[in-house]
Amino acid sequence: MNYLAGSDCGGAPLRCGAAGSPRRGRSSYLRAVALLLSGLVAVYFGLSSAASAAAVIWTGLGVTNNWSEGANWSTGAAPGAADTAIFDSTSAKNATINVALNVGGIQIGGAYAGTVTQGAVAVTIGAAGFSQSGGAFAGSGSPMTVNGPFALSGGSFTSTTAALSVAGAFTHSSGTFGHNGGTVTFTGSAATITVPTSETFNNLTFAPTTAGAIKTVAAGTTLIVNGTLTLTEGAIDTGTVLAMGNATQASTFDGGAGLLVFGGAGAQSLTGSATTGAGQLPNVEFAKPSGTLS
């Protein structure tokens, strides 16, 4: 019989290997310590991540107008992937996005009197989304991706001539939205689209990443599409989409309870991969003053 002298029972000799032995107790103790340490590490990094996300204010104190110049920002460094870039009354200096951008969010406040210009670089905005209530935003020929809501309540927003993708709600309550000849794509999951009576787009695409996701156009409002309307995935609910040009429908589009109106004066076409057995349209109305639909 093996014995172990230890302090577990006041230093008395203890048998090893039996149930409830010091070896088993010590093993359980070590496992508990390991679990505790791993939990503390997880909490630490969680708190560190939360703490690293910051509201970074544009101060305009740098020599240039460049987004990348740290001296233009309240923290001394340009906003990072978890940060929200804020433009307010702190500075009216114009800003130029001169480097490929990946930030948590962008807020252009009502007190900001300058212009934020997108250079020839891609802009990616996280879940905090894009909001604007003043100033101006001028897009370029590079894509802009908003992985959250898009809210325009003041100022002027000129979109990119490339693609503006919005994953969350699209809300235009005031101010000016200019499509700039580009494409707006509604991605993400189910969300609302709210505009002041009507909104004019060049090309408009419904392509939520969540299969069958419903994009709800506010009741009594109309999305006017002068270019190409592309129906890739999801469904349209409640409001109206007015197609003035051509439309294309994939077999994965689910239709919806909204209204699709064909209203162009010239020849229009409806094409795509949809068949009688795959792919649906929302309610359809023909309101063409002239021309044909093929």
Side-chain angles (χ1 to χ4, degrees):
M1 184 73 67
N2 295 323
Y3 289 87
L4 173 69
S7 59
D8 299 67
C9 293
L14 299 173
R15 293 181 179 180
C16 300
S21 71
R23 287 181 179 176
R24 182 168 299 180
R26 182 168 297 176
S27 176
S28 299
Y29 171 76
L30 292 175
R31 283 197 299 269
V33 169
L35 288 172
L36 177 60
L37 288 176
S38 63
L40 289 174
V41 169
V43 170
Y44 170 79
F45 281 106
L47 291 175
S48 296
S49 176
S52 64
V56 185
I57 300 171
W58 174 261
T59 63
L61 297 177
V63 176
T64 70
N65 296 82
N66 290 340
W67 184 289
S68 62
E69 186 178 352
N72 279 321
W73 298 97
S74 60
T75 59
D83 301 327
T84 296
I86 296 178
F87 296 84
D88 57 17
S89 61
T90 301
S91 175
K93 183 179 178 180
N94 296 334
T96 299
I97 302 174
N98 64 310
V99 291
L101 195 62
N102 183 11
V103 293
I106 293 179
Q107 294 179 12
I108 303 176
Y112 178 66
T115 299
V116 179
T117 300
Q118 177 190 14
V121 294
V123 171
T124 302
I125 302 172
F130 177 93
S131 66
Q132 181 180 355
S133 56
F137 181 92
S140 68
S142 297
M144 179 174 178
T145 302
V146 182
N147 293 309
F150 175 97
L152 176 62
S153 59
S156 64
F157 179 90
T158 302
S159 190
T160 168
T161 59
L164 167 64
S165 301
V166 179
F170 181 95
T171 305
H172 177 195
S173 57
S174 188
T176 304
F177 177 88
H179 60 65
N180 202 19
T183 298
V184 173
T185 300
F186 296 127
T187 61
S189 55
T192 57
I193 303 168
T194 306
V195 299
T197 307
S198 67
E199 190 78 84
T200 300
F201 301 90
N202 179 40
N203 301 319
L204 181 63
T205 299
F206 288 83
T209 50
T210 301
I214 297 174
K215 298 294 185 179
T216 302
V217 181
T221 65
T222 302
L223 309 183
I224 303 170
V225 188
N226 287 333
T228 301
L229 171 65
T230 303
L231 306 174
T232 303
E233 179 56 85
I236 301 170
D237 200 10
T238 309
T240 300
V241 177
L242 173 58
M244 303 298 287
N246 298 328
T248 179
Q249 175 203 6
S251 60
T252 49
F253 194 74
D254 301 305
L259 178 64
L260 171 60
V261 178
F262 289 93
Q268 292 179 266
S269 65
L270 173 60
T271 59
S273 59
T275 65
T276 54
Q280 301 179 48
L281 286 171
N283 299 311
V284 176
E285 178 181 311
F286 300 96
K288 295 177 61 60
S290 60
T292 60
L293 174 67
S294 59

